[in-house]
């Protein structure tokens, strides 16, 4: 049979790795989303300016 304590240890290591991945995504993804949204807003703004010049 399987050892319950080994199963718990494996689950805990998997949980800590998932937590670190989520933390890295939260710290790196948020600034990337800000940069992407800023670039999209700039593109929309410049296209609107081009439309007003005509």
């Amino acid at each position: 049979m399987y050892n319950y304590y080994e199963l718990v240890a494996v689950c805990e290591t998997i949980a800590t790795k998932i937590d670190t991945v989520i933390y890295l995504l939260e710290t790196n993804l948020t600034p990337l989303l800000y940069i992407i949204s800023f670039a999209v807003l700039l593109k929309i703004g410049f296209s609107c300016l081009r439309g007003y010049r005509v």
Side-chain angles (χ1 to χ4, degrees):
M1 286 309 228
Y2 296 110
N3 191 357
Y4 177 74
Y5 296 108
E6 290 177 3
L7 181 65
V8 169
V10 169
C11 288
E12 285 179 354
T13 56
I14 291 172
T16 54
K17 287 181 182 180
I18 289 174
D19 287 340
T20 54
V21 167
I22 289 174
Y23 175 72
L24 287 174
L25 282 177
E26 285 178 350
T27 55
N28 294 329
L29 199 63
T30 306
L32 281 176
L33 286 176
Y34 283 136
I35 291 170
I36 289 171
S37 62
F38 183 67
V40 167
L41 287 175
L42 275 179
K43 182 150 180 71
I44 291 171
F46 283 134
S47 63
C48 288
L49 283 175
R50 257 190 314 195
Y52 284 132
R53 285 185 199 161
V54 174

